C-alpha cells in the first residue's frame, strides 16, 4: 500500500551569530553555556556558529579566548564554526606577520603613506620588525600619546586599539617584540585563517509573515552602501592586504546600512564592531559589549531571532 503522507518538513538549521568577545573569556564561557541551555540539544550540536570578529584587546584573556575557539571543533564535531576577522584581529595578525602578502608584490610599508600625519600622535610601533609591517600592526602595538579616550570616557590601554591586555595575556609588556616569539603557532595559524567575509545561502529568519529563507552575508563592520557588492565580496575573499584600512572591517557610518542593490533579494547582513545591539529588518549588528567590562556579550539565534547574553540566568 502506498504511503500518501508527505514527509515531515525538515527543521531549519540553527544559525548563531556571536558578537565581539574582546578578550573576555568568562563572558564567552557564560554565553556559550547559555546558548547550550536555551537551544534544543540536537539543534545546538549541529548549529552553524558565526563569530563576528574582534576576539582580542581590551579584555584580559585574549590567549584563553583563542584556546577556546581552537578547541571547539573537537568538542563539537557536528557543529560548523566560522571565524570572521575583525579590525582588532587584523591588526594583531599584522603585528605577528601572519597576514598574506600584498597580491601585487608591494611592501607592507606602502600602507603607511596616507596616514603618516598620525604617526606621532598614535605612537606607532618602531621596534623589531617594523620596517615592513602593515600600518595596522604598527598602530596596534604603538603607544598612544594621548592617554584619555574622550569618545569612550576611559583611558587607552596602550595603543589606539587597547592592545596592552593582549600582550599581557601572553606574559609580555605592551609593545614588546617578544610577543612575536611567545604567541603559539596554533594561535598564529588561527589568526592567519580568519575569513574577512562569509556567505551562507538559505538561512531561515523569523519575520512578521512567518519563517523565510534569506542569503546571509557576515562581515565584521558591514558592506559599503555605495560600492558594488560583488566587487566588495571579491576583495574581501581575496584578503587584499594592499589596503591600509579595510572599510568592511573598520568602517562606521559608511557600512551601517544594507546596500541598496541587496534589497532585490532578501539578504541578511550580520556584523559586530559597532558597540551596540541593533536589529532592524535584515540588518543585524550584534556587539552589545563593545569591549567594555560592564557590558554583556550577546549572540542572536536564527531563525527565532532570540538574543542571548552572557549575563542571562538560564536554567537547563
Amino acid at each position: 500500500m502506498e504511503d500518501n503522507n508527505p514527509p515531515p518538513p525538515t527543521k531549519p538549521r540553527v544559525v548563531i551569530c556571536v558578537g565581539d568577545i574582546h578578550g573576555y573569556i568568562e563572558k564567552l564561557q557564560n554565553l556559550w553555556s547559555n546558548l547550550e541551555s536555551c537551544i534544543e540539544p540536537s539543534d545546538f550540536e549541529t548549529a552553524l556558529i558565526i563569530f563576528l570578529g574582534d576576539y582580542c584587546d581590551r579584555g584580559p584573556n585574549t590567549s584563553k579566548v583563542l584556546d577556546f575557539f581552537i578547541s571547539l571543533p573537537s568538542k563539537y564535531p557536528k557543529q560548523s564554526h566560522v571565524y570572521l576577522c575583525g579590525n582588532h584581529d587584523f591588526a594583531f595578525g599584522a603585528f605577528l606577520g601572519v597576514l598574506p602578502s600584498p597580491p601585487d608584490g608591494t611592501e607592507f610599508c606602502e600602507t603607511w603613506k596616507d596616514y603618516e600625519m598620525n604617526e606621532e600622535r598614535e605612537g606607532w610601533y618602531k621596534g623589531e620588525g617594523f620596517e615592513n609591517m602593515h600600518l595596522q600592526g604598527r598602530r596596534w602595538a604603538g603607544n598612544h600619546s594621548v592617554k584619555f579616550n574622550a569618545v569612550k570616557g576611559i583611558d587607552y590601554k596602550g595603543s589606539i586599539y587597547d592592545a596592552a591586555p593582549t600582550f599581557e595575556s601572553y606574559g609580555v609588556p605592551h609593545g614588546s617584540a617578544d610577543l612575536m616569539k611567545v604567541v603559539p603557532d596554533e594561535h598564529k595559524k588561527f589568526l592567519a585563517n580568519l575569513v574577512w567575509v562569509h556567505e551562507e545561502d538559505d538561512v531561515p529568519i523569523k519575520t512578521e509573515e512567518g519563517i523565510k529563507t534569506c542569503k546571509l552575508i557576515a562581515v565584521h563592520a558591514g558592506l559599503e552602501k555605495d560600492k558594488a557588492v560583488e566587487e566588495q565580496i571579491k576583495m574581501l575573499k581575496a584578503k587584499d592586504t594592499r589596503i591600509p584600512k579595510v572599510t568592511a572591517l573598520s568602517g562606521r557610518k559608511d557600512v551601517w546600512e544594507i546596500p541598496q542593490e541587496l534589497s532585490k533579494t532578501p539578504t541578511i547582513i550580520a556584523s559586530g564592531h559597532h558597540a551596540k545591539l541593533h536589529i532592524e529588518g535584515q540588518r543585524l549588528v550584534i556587539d552589545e559589549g563593545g569591549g567594555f567590562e560592564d557590558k554583556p556579550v550577546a549572540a542572536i539565534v536564527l531563525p527565532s531571532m532570540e538574543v542571548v547574553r552572557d549575563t542571562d540566568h538560564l536554567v537547563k
Side-chain angles (χ1 to χ4, degrees), residues 30-237:
N30 291 340
L31 176 65
W32 190 264
S33 178
N34 285 341
L35 289 167
E36 273 194 291
S37 297
C38 72
I39 297 171
E40 285 285 332
S42 59
D43 290 339
F44 186 72
E45 73 172 21
T46 59
L48 166 62
I49 304 179
I50 302 172
F51 295 95
L52 295 169
D54 278 2
Y55 312 122
C56 60
D57 302 340
R58 299 186 177 146
N61 304 118
T62 289
S63 177
K64 290 180 180 177
V65 167
L66 297 198
D67 284 338
F68 181 96
F69 289 144
I70 290 164
S71 74
L72 285 182
S74 60
K75 290 180 180 175
Y76 299 87
K78 294 181 184 176
Q79 288 180 348
S80 298
H81 307 106
V82 173
Y83 303 101
L84 287 181
C85 186
N87 57 315
H88 286 255
D89 315 307
F90 179 101
F92 184 13
F95 181 76
L96 295 176
V98 301
L99 296 183
S101 299
D104 62 354
T106 55
E107 300 286 329
F108 279 132
C109 56
E110 294 290 316
T111 61
W112 309 347
K113 288 181 178 176
D114 292 340
Y115 295 88
E116 283 176 324
M117 76 290 288
N118 300 326
E119 180 174 1
E120 188 175 337
R121 179 174 59 87
E122 294 179 353
W124 294 0
Y125 173 79
K126 292 180 179 176
E128 183 183 329
F130 90 93
E131 295 87 353
N132 190 32
M133 184 179 285
H134 191 283
L135 167 69
Q136 301 306 332
R138 293 194 65 197
R139 297 177 77 222
W140 183 79
N143 274 291
H144 205 285
S145 63
V146 178
K147 299 307 176 190
F148 186 70
N149 184 337
V151 174
K152 295 186 174 179
I154 55 176
D155 286 342
Y156 287 105
K157 296 178 180 179
S159 69
I160 197 165
Y161 277 98
D162 298 317
T166 298
F167 280 83
E168 290 157 11
S169 80
Y170 290 96
V172 298
H174 177 69
S176 171
D178 288 343
L179 186 70
M180 301 174 194
K181 300 167 191 161
V182 299
V183 171
D185 286 345
E186 60 182 359
H187 289 199
K188 291 177 180 176
K189 184 178 178 184
F190 175 84
L191 291 165
N193 288 338
L194 296 177
V195 296
W196 292 13
V197 66
H198 178 76
E199 296 178 283
E200 192 75 28
D201 291 325
D202 302 323
V203 172
I205 185 171
K206 185 179 179 182
T207 69
E208 290 178 356
E209 295 83 41
I211 301 284
K212 69 177 180 180
T213 56
C214 301
K215 183 183 177 105
L216 181 144
I217 301 173
V219 57
H220 180 63
L223 295 176
E224 294 175 78
K225 63 179 181 178
D226 298 326
K227 287 188 179 176
V229 170
E230 191 175 336
E231 281 298 303
Q232 293 186 66
I233 299 286
K234 183 178 177 183
M235 182 278 292
L236 292 167
K237 286 188 172 178

